[in-house]
Amino acid sequence: MALIHSFESSGNILFKYRGQFPVLLFLLCIPYVYATDYTGINLPSQRILLFIGIAFCLLGFVIRAITIGTTPKGTSGRNTEKQIAEQLNTVGIYSVLRHPLYVGNYFMWAGIVVYTMNFSFFMIFSLAYWLYYERIMFAEERFLEKKFGDVYLNWSLKVPAFIPSFSKYQKSTVTFSPKAVFRREYSGVLATVIGFVYIQFLRNFFALQKVFISTNFITVLIITAAAALILRSLKHYTSVLKEEEKD
């Protein structure tokens, strides 16, 4: 099999199972948290790293929210199980970078990794993320190239894949839809909060040899879980969050 076909095939497989990446990340956290000497990191530094981690996650969420809230139905930004695209989205956030959802994912997960306070783990995570999603992006772009031909190629030559070029911004033709964000992002936000709680649990378990999670973390987790449950119920059992068709 030629490399181009091998990359495309493996990218499609990784795309299908990309939802398992956070599980792998959570497992990899264990040895790195265990090996980190938190006694050598003073409390102010720990708080700064926590705030940096939260800021990363918020940035990732904002990027994902803008993308999801302004992505028309039938574009590649809406597919979840396989490559689907009835039209090519080239405006809004897609006018400054080609893969905004994956950029958003990176920052959301990177924020959790920052909270481990292990720089080596952060670098390994960043490299692993790039290698994993590079194949997925390759497969997606091969699909779009076959689907849209020169239209896609001309757009891809002007718009960077991962690092935004704000000078190329073109206003989206779609009005931002909060309902779309509420319908699709509650599980990701909950998973992010669980990630922070999980890291604190590991840190306290290895460092203090006891099970302990701070009251603030538990409170945030309960509020987020309750909000996620409400949004999930509204999504599945009512029409409150039903999206209007976007052209």
Side-chain angles (χ1 to χ4, degrees), residues 80-146:
T80 56
E81 296 296 330
K82 60 181 181 179
Q83 308 294 351
I84 299 174
E86 297 172 8
Q87 57 179 308
L88 184 65
N89 193 8
T90 60
V91 295
I93 197 166
Y94 282 94
S95 65
V96 298
L97 74 166
R98 302 201 301 272
H99 299 281
L101 288 176
Y102 297 152
V103 174
N105 284 350
Y106 171 77
F107 280 109
M108 289 182 74
W109 297 340
I112 298 172
V113 174
V114 167
Y115 189 49
T116 67
M117 304 182 187
N118 188 307
F119 181 74
S120 296
F121 183 43
F122 179 81
M123 297 303 295
I124 290 172
F125 157 76
S126 298
L127 177 60
Y129 186 91
W130 175 256
L131 293 175
Y132 189 97
Y133 274 89
E134 184 182 41
R135 291 292 181 93
I136 294 178
M137 290 187 287
F138 180 88
E140 285 188 359
E141 296 199 355
R142 283 284 292 167
F143 170 79
L144 293 172
E145 181 183 347
K146 294 174 184 177

Side-chain angles (χ1 to χ4, degrees), residues 19 33 42 48 60 65 86 107 111 116 135 139 144 151 158 163 177 187-188 194 204 206 210 222 235 238:
V33 172
N42 59 41
I48 290 173
E86 297 172 8
F107 280 109
T116 67
R135 291 292 181 93
L144 293 172
V151 175
K158 295 184 295 184
I163 300 176
S177 172
S187 59
I194 290 174
N204 290 330
F206 291 134
K210 66 178 182 179
I222 292 173
K235 174 182 176 180
T238 75

Side-chain angles (χ1 to χ4, degrees), residues 153-224:
L153 288 175
N154 292 334
W155 169 69
S156 66
L157 289 172
K158 295 184 295 184
V159 179
F162 218 69
I163 300 176
S165 176
F166 296 104
S167 63
K168 301 181 186 300
Y169 176 76
Q170 297 179 40
K171 186 177 180 180
S172 176
T173 57
V174 176
T175 302
F176 180 79
S177 172
K179 289 184 178 181
V181 179
F182 289 140
R183 279 173 58 86
R184 298 180 59 189
E185 288 300 282
Y186 62 84
S187 59
V189 174
L190 178 59
T192 302
V193 173
I194 290 174
F196 278 93
V197 173
Y198 173 71
I199 297 300
Q200 189 186 71
F201 166 80
L202 290 179
R203 287 175 51 189
N204 290 330
F205 181 77
F206 291 134
L208 305 177
Q209 300 297 310
K210 66 178 182 179
V211 176
F212 173 75
I213 301 172
S214 70
T215 303
N216 290 338
F217 273 52
I218 293 176
T219 301
V220 173
L221 177 60
I222 292 173
I223 293 173
T224 307

Side-chain angles (χ1 to χ4, degrees), residues 30-116:
I30 297 174
Y32 281 97
V33 172
Y34 177 78
T36 302
D37 180 15
Y38 293 103
T39 60
I41 307 174
N42 59 41
L43 186 58
S45 296
Q46 291 190 27
R47 288 176 176 171
I48 290 173
L49 289 172
L50 172 60
F51 292 145
I52 291 174
I54 293 173
F56 270 37
C57 291
L58 289 175
L59 175 59
F61 174 73
V62 168
I63 293 172
R64 284 188 57 86
I66 292 172
T67 305
I68 289 170
T70 58
T71 299
K73 184 177 180 180
T75 61
S76 58
R78 292 295 190 90
N79 50 324
T80 56
E81 296 296 330
K82 60 181 181 179
Q83 308 294 351
I84 299 174
E86 297 172 8
Q87 57 179 308
L88 184 65
N89 193 8
T90 60
V91 295
I93 197 166
Y94 282 94
S95 65
V96 298
L97 74 166
R98 302 201 301 272
H99 299 281
L101 288 176
Y102 297 152
V103 174
N105 284 350
Y106 171 77
F107 280 109
M108 289 182 74
W109 297 340
I112 298 172
V113 174
V114 167
Y115 189 49
T116 67

Side-chain angles (χ1 to χ4, degrees), residues 8-26:
E8 184 177 4
S9 176
S10 60
N12 284 324
I13 293 173
L14 292 174
F15 175 87
K16 184 177 181 180
Y17 294 103
R18 69 194 186 284
Q20 310 307 316
F21 188 88
V23 177
L24 178 61
L25 175 62
F26 279 20

